[in-house]
Amino acid sequence: MSNKIALVTGGTKGLGRDMAINLAKKGLDVIITYHSNPEQAKQVISEIEKVGQKAIALALDVTDISGFDLFVTSLTNSLKINFGTDKIDYLINNAGFIYYAAYADVSVDQFDDLLNVHFKGPFFLTQKLLKHINDNGGVVNVSTGLARFSTPGFATYASMKGAIETLTKYQAQELGKRGIRSNVVAPGPIETDIMGGAVRDNKEMNANLAAQTALGRVGLPDDIGGVVAFLCTDDAKWINGQRIEISGGSNL
């Protein structure tokens, strides 16, 4: 029996990298997308192959919806060549970035950028891929703890994540007839490159965020990937339409 296949957008670093490696540890083959750094993608592929699974990387700009048809063609061709199929089993909509800006100062361009990468892009990419996701597969969307509580400077980002949380419920309802589950994970503050590595590198910010967390620290990428990988296994077959916050107990 062939392995199941997961596609992780933005799978070259941070959360996406850890998701991809943990999926491989669960016995899935993995496709990652990268935006501008194929060398980073090759490193992740190497890590996955060390675990004993197949992996490939494809270029994708999640903000450019006009390029999705070309991406789907590239994906299906690559699936046939490398895996002997034209379908995946799981889609993880992970790619993204953050602008920090007070609500009063947000520009239309910033709004549109965050809309495209965190909501419009995943909305239509998932739609385009529906016929290429096997029945009884799944979708995992990525939100944020900031959709549950308010922190000044993140109004735009959190609003898009609130939208993806609502979409997840509708996906779960409408795709359920095919046995496709849709869930959303909501990480708390994580030490990654996002926002220029602020959570990781700004000691004062790190300490303040840790003080707001019941477990007394901010998150690391490997706090997240295993949960996403679990949602892409039969052990999670009865979890559907759910928001799972992975934050160590942030702002309880």
Side-chain angles (χ1 to χ4, degrees):
M1 187 175 69
S2 61
N3 292 326
K4 291 187 176 181
I5 302 169
L7 168 62
V8 182
T9 66
T12 60
K13 58 184 179 180
L15 300 188
R17 177 184 181 278
D18 197 72
M19 291 171 191
I21 292 169
N22 273 280
L23 285 158
K25 290 178 179 177
K26 289 287 189 183
L28 285 82
D29 292 329
V30 184
I31 300 167
I32 60 171
T33 74
Y34 63 91
H35 181 225
S36 58
N37 195 330
E39 290 306 313
Q40 274 188 327
K42 289 177 183 177
Q43 292 171 14
V44 179
I45 288 171
S46 177
E47 291 293 314
I48 291 169
E49 290 174 343
K50 287 176 186 176
V51 179
Q53 299 301 128
K54 290 183 182 178
I56 60 172
L58 300 173
L60 173 66
D61 180 355
V62 177
T63 68
D64 181 16
I65 292 167
S66 67
F68 285 0
D69 285 336
L70 187 62
F71 172 75
V72 172
T73 299
S74 175
L75 173 66
T76 52
N77 288 340
S78 297
L79 281 165
K80 289 172 185 174
I81 292 168
N82 293 280
F83 303 100
T85 181
D86 63 352
K87 292 187 177 181
I88 61 174
D89 297 281
Y90 298 99
L91 169 63
I92 297 92
N93 287 306
N94 165 74
F97 52 81
I98 300 175
Y99 291 129
Y100 177 84
Y103 169 63
D105 300 328
V106 174
S107 69
V108 173
D109 285 345
Q110 288 174 323
F111 182 96
D112 287 345
D113 284 348
L114 292 179
L115 171 68
N116 288 336
V117 76
H118 291 296
F119 185 59
K120 191 174 180 181
F123 186 108
F124 287 105
L125 181 63
T126 305
Q127 184 191 72
K128 292 276 187 187
L129 289 174
L130 284 179
K131 63 185 179 183
H132 299 290
I133 299 176
N134 280 318
D135 290 355
N136 304 310
V139 177
V140 180
N141 296 315
V142 178
S143 181
T144 172
L146 293 162
R148 175 175 60 82
F149 54 84
S150 301
T151 300
F154 297 102
T156 314
Y157 171 70
S159 294
M160 304 313 168
K161 292 304 195 181
I164 207 74
E165 290 189 9
T166 299
L167 175 64
T168 299
K169 294 179 183 178
Y170 277 84
Q171 289 174 336
Q173 182 69 50
E174 295 192 27
L175 304 181
K177 61 182 178 292
R178 291 181 51 198
I180 294 175
R181 299 175 295 108
S182 184
N183 294 290
V184 61
V185 296
I190 306 285
E191 292 187 7
T192 67
D193 291 336
I194 207 159
M195 289 199 310
V199 174
R200 181 190 60 220
D201 301 333
N202 184 320
K203 291 184 179 180
E204 183 178 359
M205 177 185 287
N206 191 298
N208 287 338
L209 292 168
Q212 298 167 16
T213 304
L215 293 182
R217 64 171 175 86
V218 300
L220 300 170
D222 69 5
D223 293 319
I224 310 301
V227 180
V228 171
F230 160 72
L231 289 171
C232 299
T233 68
D234 287 341
D235 288 340
K237 65 182 181 293
W238 206 234
I239 301 176
N240 193 24
Q242 300 304 303
R243 177 190 191 274
I244 300 172
E245 184 161 321
I246 319 169
S247 68
S250 175
N251 287 271
L252 292 177

